[in-house]
Amino acid sequence: MNVELHRVWRETGTTVLLVTHSIAESVYLANRVIVLTQRPAVVKEVIEVDLPGERDYSATMARPEFATATAHIRDLLGAVTGHD
């Protein structure tokens, strides 16, 4: 589904807002990831995702930029494991 959603977004240029609890999914699909605080939710940080627009799923997951972005988001959320 992630690959198909990304394809539709690229082809239509439509703005998409996706709410997810998966850090990997957010970084794969997004140009920007917005991290919110706990309730009351306010924007904690806006992370610009530095990945090419054309994204192959496995190749994207292997990129250092992907690892950096996901690690930064985990740090912001105070995640203690590598699980999404």
Side-chain angles (χ1 to χ4, degrees):
M1 182 180 88
N2 289 337
V3 173
E4 183 64 11
L5 181 58
H6 193 262
R7 182 192 64 75
V8 169
W9 170 75
R10 276 192 341 268
E11 290 177 4
T12 65
T14 304
T15 298
V16 176
L17 173 64
L18 175 69
V19 177
T20 182
H21 289 98
S22 170
I23 295 168
E25 179 177 60
S26 67
V27 173
Y28 173 74
L29 290 173
N31 289 333
R32 255 185 319 255
V33 174
I34 300 171
V35 176
L36 302 175
T37 63
Q38 292 183 19
R39 291 185 182 134
V42 295
V43 174
K44 186 169 190 174
E45 187 171 331
V46 177
I47 296 109
E48 297 293 328
V49 176
D50 186 25
L51 293 168
E54 288 281 334
R55 297 180 193 170
D56 173 79
Y57 192 79
S58 354
T60 298
M61 299 294 177
R63 291 179 69 101
E65 301 94 327
F66 180 85
T68 300
T70 55
H72 180 62
I73 294 167
R74 282 190 183 94
D75 288 345
L76 287 172
L77 296 173
V80 292
T81 69
H83 302 289
D84 287 333

